Coordinates of all heavy atoms in Angstrom, one line a residue:
T5 N -87.8 -78.5 5.9 CA -88.1 -77.2 5.4 C -87.4 -76.1 6.1 O -86.9 -76.4 7.2 CB -89.5 -76.9 5.2 OG1 -90.0 -76.7 6.5 CG2 -90.3 -78.0 4.5
H6 N -87.2 -75.0 5.5 CA -86.6 -73.8 6.1 C -87.3 -73.5 7.4 O -86.8 -72.9 8.3 CB -86.5 -72.6 5.2 CG -85.4 -72.8 4.2 ND1 -84.1 -72.8 4.4 CD2 -85.6 -72.9 2.8 CE1 -83.4 -73.0 3.3 NE2 -84.4 -73.1 2.3
A7 N -88.7 -73.7 7.4 CA -89.5 -73.4 8.6 C -89.1 -74.2 9.7 O -89.2 -73.8 11.0 CB -91.0 -73.5 8.3
D8 N -88.7 -75.5 9.5 CA -88.2 -76.4 10.5 C -87.0 -75.9 11.2 O -86.7 -76.2 12.4 CB -87.9 -77.8 9.9 CG -89.2 -78.5 9.4 OD1 -90.3 -78.2 9.9 OD2 -89.0 -79.3 8.4
V9 N -86.2 -75.0 10.5 CA -84.9 -74.6 11.1 C -85.2 -73.8 12.4 O -84.5 -73.9 13.3 CB -84.2 -73.8 10.0 CG1 -83.0 -73.0 10.7 CG2 -83.7 -74.6 8.9
K10 N -86.3 -73.1 12.3 CA -86.7 -72.2 13.5 C -87.0 -73.0 14.8 O -87.0 -72.5 15.9 CB -87.9 -71.3 13.2 CG -87.5 -70.3 12.1 CD -88.7 -69.4 11.8 CE -88.5 -68.5 10.7 NZ -87.6 -67.4 10.9
K11 N -87.2 -74.3 14.7 CA -87.5 -75.2 15.7 C -86.3 -76.0 16.2 O -86.3 -76.6 17.3 CB -88.6 -76.1 15.3 CG -89.9 -75.6 14.9 CD -90.8 -76.6 14.4 CE -92.1 -75.9 13.9 NZ -93.0 -76.9 13.3
L12 N -85.1 -75.8 15.5 CA -84.0 -76.6 15.9 C -83.3 -76.0 17.1 O -83.2 -74.8 17.3 CB -82.9 -76.6 14.8 CG -83.4 -77.4 13.5 CD1 -82.4 -77.3 12.4 CD2 -83.7 -78.9 13.8
T13 N -82.7 -77.0 18.0 CA -81.8 -76.5 19.0 C -80.4 -76.1 18.4 O -80.2 -76.4 17.2 CB -81.5 -77.7 20.0 OG1 -80.8 -78.7 19.3 CG2 -82.8 -78.2 20.7
F14 N -79.7 -75.4 19.1 CA -78.3 -74.9 18.6 C -77.5 -76.1 18.2 O -76.9 -76.1 17.2 CB -77.6 -74.1 19.7 CG -76.3 -73.7 19.3 CD1 -76.1 -72.5 18.5 CD2 -75.2 -74.3 19.7 CE1 -74.9 -72.1 18.1 CE2 -73.9 -73.9 19.3 CZ -73.7 -72.8 18.5
A17 N -78.7 -77.7 15.0 CA -78.5 -76.8 13.8 C -77.0 -76.8 13.5 O -76.6 -77.0 12.3 CB -78.9 -75.4 14.2
I18 N -76.1 -76.9 14.5 CA -74.7 -76.9 14.3 C -74.3 -78.2 13.6 O -73.5 -78.3 12.6 CB -73.9 -76.7 15.5 CG1 -73.8 -75.2 15.9 CG2 -72.4 -77.3 15.4 CD1 -72.9 -74.4 14.9
E20 N -76.1 -80.2 11.8 CA -76.7 -80.3 10.4 C -75.7 -79.4 9.6 O -75.4 -79.7 8.4 CB -78.0 -79.9 10.3 CG -78.6 -80.1 9.0 CD -80.1 -79.8 8.8 OE1 -80.8 -79.9 9.9 OE2 -80.5 -79.6 7.7
L21 N -75.3 -78.3 10.0 CA -74.5 -77.2 9.3 C -73.2 -78.0 9.0 O -72.6 -77.8 7.9 CB -74.4 -76.0 10.0 CG -73.7 -74.9 9.4 CD1 -74.2 -74.5 8.1 CD2 -73.7 -73.6 10.2
I24 N -73.5 -80.4 6.1 CA -73.7 -79.6 4.8 C -72.3 -79.2 4.4 O -71.9 -79.4 3.2 CB -74.6 -78.5 5.0 CG1 -76.0 -79.1 5.0 CG2 -74.5 -77.5 3.8 CD1 -77.1 -78.0 5.3
V39 N -76.8 -76.0 -4.5 CA -77.4 -74.8 -4.3 C -78.4 -75.0 -3.2 O -78.6 -74.1 -2.2 CB -78.0 -74.3 -5.6 CG1 -78.9 -73.1 -5.3 CG2 -77.0 -74.0 -6.6
A40 N -79.2 -76.1 -3.2 CA -80.2 -76.2 -2.2 C -79.7 -76.4 -0.8 O -80.2 -75.8 0.2 CB -81.2 -77.5 -2.6
I41 N -78.6 -77.2 -0.6 CA -78.0 -77.4 0.7 C -77.3 -76.2 1.1 O -77.2 -76.0 2.3 CB -77.2 -78.8 0.8 CG1 -76.0 -78.8 -0.1 CG2 -78.2 -80.0 0.5 CD1 -75.1 -80.0 0.1
Y42 N -76.7 -75.4 0.2 CA -76.1 -74.2 0.6 C -77.1 -73.2 1.1 O -76.9 -72.5 2.3 CB -75.4 -73.5 -0.6 CG -74.7 -72.2 -0.3 CD1 -73.5 -72.1 0.2 CD2 -75.5 -71.0 -0.4 CE1 -72.9 -71.0 0.6 CE2 -74.8 -69.8 -0.1 CZ -73.5 -69.8 0.4 OH -73.0 -68.6 0.8
E43 N -78.2 -73.1 0.5 CA -79.4 -72.3 1.1 C -79.8 -72.7 2.5 O -80.1 -72.0 3.4 CB -80.5 -72.3 0.1 CG -80.3 -71.5 -1.1 CD -81.3 -71.6 -2.2 OE1 -82.2 -72.5 -2.0 OE2 -81.3 -70.9 -3.2
R44 N -79.9 -74.0 2.6 CA -80.3 -74.7 3.9 C -79.2 -74.3 5.0 O -79.5 -73.9 6.1 CB -80.4 -76.2 3.8 CG -80.6 -77.0 5.1 CD -82.0 -77.1 5.4 NE -82.2 -77.8 6.7 CZ -83.2 -77.8 7.4 NH1 -84.2 -77.0 7.1 NH2 -83.3 -78.4 8.5
G45 N -77.9 -74.3 4.5 CA -76.8 -74.0 5.4 C -76.9 -72.6 5.9 O -76.6 -72.2 7.1
E46 N -77.3 -71.6 5.0 CA -77.4 -70.3 5.3 C -78.5 -70.1 6.4 O -78.4 -69.3 7.3 CB -77.8 -69.4 4.2 CG -76.5 -69.1 3.3 CD -75.6 -68.2 4.0 OE1 -75.9 -67.2 4.6 OE2 -74.3 -68.6 3.9
A47 N -79.7 -70.8 6.2 CA -80.7 -70.8 7.1 C -80.3 -71.3 8.6 O -80.6 -70.7 9.6 CB -81.9 -71.5 6.7
L48 N -79.5 -72.4 8.5 CA -79.0 -72.9 9.8 C -78.0 -72.0 10.5 O -78.1 -71.8 11.6 CB -78.3 -74.2 9.5 CG -79.2 -75.4 9.1 CD1 -78.4 -76.6 8.4 CD2 -80.0 -75.9 10.3
K49 N -77.2 -71.3 9.7 CA -76.2 -70.4 10.3 C -77.0 -69.2 10.9 O -76.7 -68.8 12.0 CB -75.4 -69.7 9.1 CG -74.3 -68.8 9.7 CD -73.7 -68.1 8.5 CE -72.8 -66.9 9.0 NZ -73.6 -65.8 9.5
R50 N -78.0 -68.7 10.3 CA -78.9 -67.6 10.8 C -79.5 -68.1 12.2 O -79.6 -67.4 13.1 CB -79.9 -67.1 9.9 CG -79.4 -66.2 8.8 CD -80.5 -65.5 8.0 NE -81.5 -66.6 7.4 CZ -81.2 -67.1 6.2 NH1 -80.1 -66.8 5.4 NH2 -82.1 -68.0 5.7
R51 N -79.9 -69.3 12.2 CA -80.6 -69.9 13.5 C -79.6 -69.9 14.5 O -79.9 -69.6 15.7 CB -81.1 -71.3 13.2 CG -81.7 -72.0 14.4 CD -82.9 -71.3 15.0 NE -83.4 -72.1 16.1 CZ -84.2 -71.6 17.0 NH1 -84.5 -70.4 17.0 NH2 -84.6 -72.4 18.0
C52 N -78.4 -70.4 14.3 CA -77.3 -70.5 15.3 C -77.0 -69.1 15.8 O -76.8 -68.9 17.0 CB -76.1 -71.2 14.7 SG -76.3 -72.9 14.4
D53 N -76.8 -68.1 14.9 CA -76.6 -66.7 15.3 C -77.6 -66.2 16.2 O -77.4 -65.6 17.2 CB -76.5 -65.8 14.1 CG -75.2 -66.1 13.3 OD1 -74.2 -66.7 13.9 OD2 -75.1 -65.6 12.1
E54 N -78.9 -66.5 15.9 CA -80.0 -66.1 16.6 C -80.0 -66.6 18.1 O -80.1 -66.0 19.0 CB -81.4 -66.5 15.9 CG -82.6 -66.2 16.8 CD -83.8 -67.0 16.2 OE1 -83.7 -67.6 15.1 OE2 -84.9 -66.7 16.8
L55 N -79.7 -67.9 18.1 CA -79.7 -68.6 19.4 C -78.5 -68.2 20.3 O -78.7 -68.0 21.5 CB -79.6 -70.1 19.3 CG -80.9 -70.8 18.7 CD1 -80.7 -72.2 18.3 CD2 -82.0 -70.7 19.7
L56 N -77.4 -67.9 19.6 CA -76.3 -67.3 20.4 C -76.6 -65.9 21.0 O -76.2 -65.6 22.1 CB -75.0 -67.3 19.5 CG -74.3 -68.6 19.2 CD1 -73.2 -68.4 18.2 CD2 -73.9 -69.2 20.6
R57 N -77.2 -65.0 20.2 CA -77.6 -63.7 20.7 C -78.6 -63.8 21.9 O -78.5 -63.1 22.8 CB -78.2 -62.9 19.5 CG -77.2 -62.3 18.5 CD -77.9 -61.3 17.7 NE -79.1 -61.7 17.0 CZ -79.0 -62.5 15.8 NH1 -77.9 -62.7 15.2 NH2 -80.1 -62.8 15.2
Q58 N -79.5 -64.8 21.8 CA -80.5 -64.9 22.9 C -79.7 -65.5 24.1 O -80.0 -65.0 25.2 CB -81.5 -66.0 22.4 CG -82.5 -65.5 21.5 CD -83.4 -66.6 21.1 OE1 -83.4 -67.8 21.5 NE2 -84.2 -66.3 20.0
A59 N -78.7 -66.3 24.0 CA -77.9 -66.9 25.1 C -77.2 -65.7 25.7 O -77.1 -65.5 27.0 CB -77.1 -68.0 24.7

Side-chain angles (χ1 to χ4, degrees):
T5 65
H6 288 292
D8 294 333
V9 170
K10 295 180 188 283
K11 298 176 185 174
L12 294 176
T13 63
F14 179 81
I18 280 288
E20 188 176 339
L21 186 55
I24 287 172
V39 171
I41 64 174
Y42 179 85
E43 290 172 349
R44 173 91 178 155
E46 283 295 315
L48 290 164
K49 179 189 171 296
R50 285 190 301 274
R51 175 64 176 160
C52 290
D53 288 343
E54 171 191 3
L55 291 170
L56 285 173
R57 280 192 307 276
Q58 289 173 6

